Amino acid sequence: MPDTLNIIPLPQSVKMGEGFFNCKGIPPVKGDGIFSREIDVFRQQLEACGIPAWIPAGQGAETGIVCRKVETLKDEAYRLKIAREKIILEASSGAGMYHGLQSLRQLFLSGGEGGGKTEGGFALPCADVEDYPRFPWRGLMLDCSRNFYSKNFVKKIIDAISLHHLSIFHWHLTDDQGWRFPVDAYPLLTEIGSKRYDKRRWRYTGGFYTKDDIREVVAYAAARHVEVVPEVDFPGHASSILAPYPGLGCTGGPYGVEDRFGIFEDVLCAGNDAIFDLIEKVFDTLAELFPSKWVHIGGDEVLYNRWNECPKCRKRMEETGLKNSRELQSWITVKLVQMLGERGKTAIGWDEILEDTPAYKLPPQAAVMSWRGRKGGAEAAERGHSVVMSPNTDGCYLDYQPVNDPDEPGQLGTSGIKQLYNMNAVDAGMSAEEASRIIGGQANLWTELVYAARIAEYMIFPRICALAETVWTEKKDFDDFARRLPLHQARLDKLDLIQYRGPLA
Ligand code: ACM
Ligand code: ZN
């Protein structure tokens, strides 16, 4: 008998029993009607990997998976009992049931758990599992602006992260290098802003997701209990807005959709009210397409050179009693948070949005995503904001190399899998109240140098498995994770994911 179930993320509690549940394919799944969608997705997922449905011999054979609603379990929690004659899964919500089914999917993807595998069949070791997440926000960000990825690839990644109980897909949809969704009143955002002349390929590249594409991705994610949080980056990283609408910049342009990477001086002109007309329509579109309560407003890396010199921006500062351009950014941030509030949405932004002013304080409902290390997250928690920890100092930046080796892809630094595994979203010195404001953690894949979906897979897997465990459970043991990982990577192979397999630094 194996002495544990090799699931990632590690369940909160596993008690091994005696013997195995044996089957030759996906056994019948019976359950409360409320779980029919989760059960359908589970079947489709296994069938897509060549694991067929299996009907046990004998009329009315009482075997299979039973899915039951149990009100007393917490929202995302599940209970899994694998016995010789049947498997019982209990949850109070679709999310809990889905997580339980994903743990089972992992066992099926490895033919049971070894040891008891039968010829042409599956042997799942008998066990009792109690499981629930430590944090609600367990996220992956994919930058689809620097490199445009197909709708089908986005769905593939969402399905794969849901195997690890991740709850958030943060979709970075706009940046200097491309605008990726249509806004009816501003058709040039996609007509011009979604394409750039790519000097490496000597041709225009790019693309955008149609409204139907987005609805399809959101529904696909919802069926997997993954919430899609869109990001539109304001007021910096705006070349793909300025190229089609040069009147929205301080100098009037001309501007181009950037093919270079970096931080650019041209940002939205804070003295021009027309930028808010555009932002209103953008937020209306996001509200139409994304059911999530969250909208990510970016706010990172804004250079102030243009604002400092622009007569319109200087007039705005005078009229509004702002001392400098940094205060002008706070003024914009407060407006964006309010505009989202009017649409029933809550803003989240990169930690620069904390750099506010007494007159234009960051509204308390706005959440902060800490990326420049952990400092922003600690300060935000102290000031009463919800926080997602995603520090580039702790392995959360998947655009960094997986190991410091010139043969590996990646830039700017190293994000080793062990470093990411050891990331704790809560700082050791936080009070209980501050700690309660940490809603979770996230890893980010920026894609300046990630020219193809297959390379993105390599950058994401298996590092995201470490992130998944670090935000799911407090019972962390890297050596044990490293022991489970090769078996888990064999599962990811069956999902046709390219993976890093080098040293676990
Ligand atoms: C960021 O990495 N610029 C948020
Ligand atoms: Zn200006």
Side-chain angles (χ1 to χ4, degrees), residues 237 300-301 350 371 397 446:
H237 290 291
D300 57 321
E301 300 176 323
W350 300 110
W371 74 278
Y397 268 44
W446 300 103

Side-chain angles (χ1 to χ4, degrees), residues 147 149 399 445-453 455-457 459:
N147 193 76
Y149 300 97
D399 51 323
L445 180 58
W446 300 103
T447 58
E448 287 93 336
L449 302 184
V450 185
Y451 302 117
I455 310 173
E457 292 175 3
M459 303 308 269

Side-chain angles (χ1 to χ4, degrees), residues 145 148 173-196 205-209 211 232-234 237-246 248 256-257 268 274-275 277-286:
S145 173
F148 180 71
L173 285 166
T174 76
D175 217 301
D176 293 293
Q177 293 77 10
W179 182 278
R180 303 296 181 214
F181 65 98
V183 178
D184 294 339
Y186 291 86
L188 303 184
L189 285 173
T190 43
E191 215 167 287
I192 293 173
S194 73
K195 303 182 195 92
R196 70 175 188 256
T205 59
F208 65 92
Y209 306 101
K211 287 189 178 183
V232 286
D233 206 339
F234 298 127
H237 290 291
S239 305
S240 63
I241 307 173
L242 297 179
Y245 297 104
L248 301 181
V257 181
L268 296 182
I275 68 168
D277 297 337
L278 177 134
I279 295 172
E280 293 272 1
K281 298 293 189 216
V282 169
F283 285 172
D284 284 344
T285 308
L286 296 179

Side-chain angles (χ1 to χ4, degrees), residues 101-385:
L101 288 165
Q102 294 310 297
S103 293
L104 267 185
R105 179 187 175 197
Q106 292 194 18
L107 299 180
F108 273 101
L109 283 174
S110 44
E113 276 292 79
K117 191 172 182 330
T118 52
E119 190 61 37
F122 300 85
L124 279 57
C126 293
D128 283 295
V129 178
E130 302 257 356
D131 208 6
Y132 52 88
R134 179 179 179 198
F135 297 108
W137 185 299
R138 306 178 300 277
L140 170 70
M141 186 219 70
L142 181 64
D143 170 6
C144 292
S145 173
R146 271 57 174 271
N147 193 76
F148 180 71
Y149 300 97
S150 73
K151 165 188 78 176
N152 286 340
F153 178 68
V154 170
K155 287 164 68 177
K156 180 181 183 184
I157 293 300
I158 288 171
D159 182 69
I161 65 174
S162 83
L163 177 69
H164 303 83
H165 312 327
L166 290 201
S167 57
I168 299 282
F169 177 69
H170 168 173
W171 204 357
H172 186 77
L173 285 166
T174 76
D175 217 301
D176 293 293
Q177 293 77 10
W179 182 278
R180 303 296 181 214
F181 65 98
V183 178
D184 294 339
Y186 291 86
L188 303 184
L189 285 173
T190 43
E191 215 167 287
I192 293 173
S194 73
K195 303 182 195 92
R196 70 175 188 256
Y197 188 75
D198 186 331
K199 293 195 188 72
R200 284 159 294 274
R201 294 171 166 116
W202 290 43
R203 62 181 170 85
Y204 281 88
T205 59
F208 65 92
Y209 306 101
T210 65
K211 287 189 178 183
D212 280 345
D213 290 340
I214 291 172
R215 287 191 193 99
E216 184 181 326
V217 167
V218 166
Y220 182 89
R224 287 155 180 76
H225 294 276
V226 173
E227 188 171 322
V228 182
V229 175
E231 179 184 353
V232 286
D233 206 339
F234 298 127
H237 290 291
S239 305
S240 63
I241 307 173
L242 297 179
Y245 297 104
L248 301 181
C250 292
T251 65
Y255 309 104
V257 181
E258 278 295 348
D259 185 47
R260 298 168 298 172
F261 299 120
I263 308 174
F264 302 98
E265 289 189 344
D266 287 300
V267 301
L268 296 182
C269 174
N272 185 348
D273 286 337
I275 68 168
F276 295 107
D277 297 337
L278 177 134
I279 295 172
E280 293 272 1
K281 298 293 189 216
V282 169
F283 285 172
D284 284 344
T285 308
L286 296 179
E288 172 193 338
L289 296 174
F290 293 92
S292 172
K293 80 164 192 173
W294 298 103
V295 168
H296 200 300
I297 57 171
D300 57 321
E301 300 176 323
V302 183
L303 295 180
Y304 297 138
N305 312 36
R306 293 284 187 255
W307 289 358
N308 291 342
E309 282 157 24
C310 169
K312 281 188 278 200
C313 286
R314 296 180 71 86
K315 181 156 171 271
R316 176 83 78 197
M317 287 189 246
E318 269 165 39
E319 283 173 2
T320 329
L322 299 167
K323 288 200 284 296
N324 53 42
S325 290
R326 192 176 67 69
E327 298 200 355
L328 188 52
Q329 188 178 349
S330 314
W331 176 81
I332 292 188
T333 302
V334 169
K335 261 180 111 63
L336 300 191
V337 173
Q338 286 167 351
M339 286 161 67
L340 284 173
E342 287 159 16
R343 290 161 177 79
K345 301 289 185 186
T346 307
I348 180 166
W350 300 110
D351 56 48
E352 285 91 335
I353 66 172
L354 262 182
E355 294 166 10
D356 56 6
T357 72
Y360 293 97
K361 287 211 79 57
L362 184 65
Q365 72 272 24
V368 172
M369 192 169 268
S370 192
W371 74 278
R372 295 174 299 177
R374 317 174 59 88
K375 217 165 37 55
E379 184 191 331
E382 194 186 326
R383 287 172 47 183
H385 297 278

